[in-house]
Amino acid sequence: MTEIEELSQFLALDMRLDVKALALQQTLGLTGTTDGRHLLINTPCIVKNLCQLLNDGQNSVAKDASLAIINLSADEEIIPALLAEATNIVEHMLKIISNPEHNLADPACMVLSNLTRSKLGSEKVFQSMEGNLDKYVDIFCQEKYNKKGARLHYLASVLSNLSQLPAVRSYILDPSRSCLQRLVSFTDYKDSISRRGAILGLIKNCCFETDHHEFLLSEAVDLLPKLLIPLAGPEEFDEEDNDKLPIDLQYLDEEKTREPDADIRKMLLEALTQLCATKFGREYLRSKNTYVILRELHKWEKNENVLVILEHLVNILIRFEHEIGHDNLKEVEIPDEITEKLNALEPAL
C-alpha cells in the first residue's frame, strides 16, 4: 500500500478527529501543487472520501475538505478523472446546494463553477440535474434560500457555463418556462459583480440564438431595458427622445450611475450587438431609441475595448436597412478571415 492510499483510509467520517484532521491537512497541502493533485486523483477513494467529509460534524474538517475539492476542480487536466462515476462529485455538490441548512453551499457552487468550464463538465452537471434546471434557477433567485448565510453567487457562474450547451439554451429559451424572465432581473444587481456578470454571460449566449430574438425582445422577457439600464447615466433627454425610450428608461434618477465594470459593459454591448444580427432586432432597437443611450455612453466611456464594441453597434443602428441588405447577418456569406473573428465571439467551451 502506498503512502497516499494509506492517507485515504484516514479520510473517513468515523475516523478519530485528530487523525482525520492531520490526514486532511496533508491532503490539502498536496492539492496546492500539480504533482500533488495528480497523485491524489490517481488514488482510489480520495475524492469520494473528501466528498463524504463535507458532511463531517466538525466544521473545520468539512471546510478543509471543501478547500481540497475546490483546488482539485480548478485543475482542468484532472477534471475528466474527477467526473468519473465512482466519485459522485457532481451529485454531492448538487445535494449540498439544494440543502438550505448546509454550511458549505458556497464552496459547492465554486466546485461546480470550476467543473462546468469544460464541455464534459457542463454535460455531466446538466445530466445530473435530471432536466430540472428550474429547481436551481429557483434556488439562485431566492437570495436567502440558504439559512446558514451562503449567498450562492457562484451558482450564477454554473448557470452561465451551462448556457454554452445548445440543449441548455433551448431549455432556458423555452417560452413555456420562466427561467430567463427570472434571471434577467440580475443584470443590474448591485451586491455581487460575479452574480450580475455571470448572468449577463448567460444572456449573451442566449442572444446568439437568432430564432429567439422576437421572444427575447417581447414583453414576456423585456430584455432590451435590462441591457440598457446598466449602460444609462443621469442624462436628461428632450421630450421627443424620452418618449421613444422603453418606459423603464424614461424616469431614471438624476443620480443614476453606469455599470462600473468595463468587462460587464462590454458584455452588455455584445449582447445588444447579437440582437442586431436580425432585421427584427435592429428595427426594434431603433424604435426604442437605443441610439441616444449609446450616444451618451460614448461621450462617457474611456475603455478602448468597450469603445470598439460600442462604435460597431452604433454603426449598425445608424445604417438604413437597404444599406445592410440582409434580414439575418448570420446567413450572409462572408470571407473566411471574418468568419474566424466572429466565431471567436460564439459561446464556446
Side-chain angles (χ1 to χ4, degrees):
M1 182 182 292
T2 67
E3 289 182 15
I4 299 295
E5 288 172 334
E6 189 175 350
L7 181 66
S8 71
Q9 293 183 324
F10 300 129
L11 301 173
L13 285 170
D14 57 359
M15 184 58 62
R16 210 175 69 205
L17 177 59
D18 58 338
V19 176
K20 180 169 45 180
L22 182 59
L24 198 47
Q25 281 298 315
Q26 290 179 308
T27 303
L28 186 55
L30 287 169
T31 65
T33 67
T34 301
D35 289 343
R37 290 190 294 272
H38 283 260
L39 200 58
L40 291 171
I41 202 66
N42 289 322
T43 305
C45 295
I46 281 279
V47 175
K48 189 174 182 178
N49 289 357
L50 285 172
C51 287
Q52 290 174 347
L53 289 180
L54 295 173
N55 296 309
D56 196 278
Q58 187 72 26
N59 285 340
S60 60
V61 169
K63 185 176 180 181
D64 281 351
S66 74
L67 291 174
I69 297 171
I70 290 171
N71 288 348
L72 288 170
S73 67
D75 188 333
E76 291 185 18
E77 287 186 17
I78 64 173
I79 282 179
L82 270 179
L83 293 169
E85 287 188 22
T87 68
N88 289 326
I89 186 171
V90 172
E91 290 77 8
H92 277 291
M93 299 307 132
L94 290 175
K95 190 173 181 180
I96 289 172
I97 292 167
S98 302
N99 181 356
E101 300 292 336
H102 209 292
N103 287 315
L104 296 173
D106 277 337
C109 289
M110 292 180 196
V111 171
L112 290 189
S113 175
N114 285 340
L115 293 177
T116 53
R117 287 184 301 178
S118 71
K119 182 179 180 182
L120 178 66
S122 283
E123 289 173 343
K124 174 66 176 173
V125 170
F126 187 49
Q127 177 188 357
S128 298
M129 288 179 171
E130 297 177 337
N132 194 9
L133 188 63
D134 286 283
K135 172 184 176 181
Y136 298 95
V137 171
D138 187 49
I139 290 171
F140 173 76
C141 292
Q142 296 180 58
E143 290 187 60
K144 294 183 179 179
Y145 175 83
N146 185 278
K147 304 301 185 286
K148 300 296 183 179
R151 302 300 304 278
L152 306 179
H153 293 325
Y154 277 90
L155 189 51
S157 298
V158 178
L159 296 172
S160 182
N161 290 344
L162 290 176
S163 74
Q164 296 171 86
L165 297 176
V168 174
R169 293 199 297 277
S170 294
Y171 186 106
I172 292 170
L173 289 164
D174 184 344
S176 70
R177 305 182 189 278
S178 60
C179 276
L180 193 58
Q181 291 91 320
R182 301 182 70 189
L183 293 172
V184 294
S185 63
F186 289 96
T187 57
D188 202 26
Y189 184 79
K190 302 298 184 189
D191 292 345
S192 169
I193 187 172
S194 61
R195 184 175 276 242
R196 70 177 185 274
I199 291 304
L200 273 165
L202 176 148
I203 291 169
K204 187 181 85 168
N205 286 345
C206 289
C207 288
F208 281 92
E209 302 293 334
T210 54
D211 290 345
H212 292 273
H213 279 186
E214 291 190 36
F215 172 61
L216 288 167
L217 295 169
S218 69
E219 288 185 8
V221 181
D222 202 24
L223 182 59
L224 184 60
K226 307 294 193 305
L227 297 177
L228 290 180
I229 287 174
L231 297 173
E235 297 84 8
E236 293 185 9
F237 303 104
D238 62 42
E239 188 174 347
E240 182 180 357
D241 272 338
N242 200 57
D243 287 347
K244 291 178 185 176
L245 287 167
I247 191 72
D248 292 348
L249 281 99
Q250 291 181 16
Y251 304 102
L252 295 178
D253 193 282
E254 61 184 16
E255 296 180 2
K256 169 72 171 70
T257 58
R258 291 184 171 87
E259 165 59 54
D261 186 84
D263 289 334
I264 291 181
R265 294 198 302 276
K266 184 169 175 280
M267 272 198 287
L268 288 159
L269 292 168
E270 286 170 342
L272 290 165
T273 301
Q274 286 307 316
L275 292 172
C276 287
T278 57
K279 182 179 180 181
F280 174 85
R282 294 190 295 274
E283 291 185 337
Y284 187 85
L285 264 64
R286 292 187 191 112
S287 73
K288 296 299 181 180
N289 215 9
T290 300
Y291 170 73
V292 298
I293 300 295
L294 300 179
R295 180 191 68 201
E296 297 307 313
L297 173 63
H298 191 269
K299 295 175 184 176
W300 175 90
E301 185 60 66
K302 300 293 188 292
N303 185 284
E304 290 186 10
N305 292 327
V306 177
L307 281 169
V308 169
I309 305 294
L310 175 56
E311 289 167 4
H312 175 59
L313 174 57
V314 169
N315 185 46
I316 294 172
L317 290 176
I318 63 176
R319 293 170 70 189
F320 294 108
E321 280 303 315
H322 72 266
E323 295 178 296
I324 295 173
H326 297 277
D327 281 359
N328 190 334
L329 296 181
K330 295 202 171 187
E331 295 173 356
V332 181
E333 289 190 20
I334 50 180
D336 291 342
E337 65 270 16
I338 302 298
T339 302
E340 289 176 10
K341 291 180 181 179
L342 290 174
N343 286 341
L345 295 174
E346 291 278 2
L349 285 161

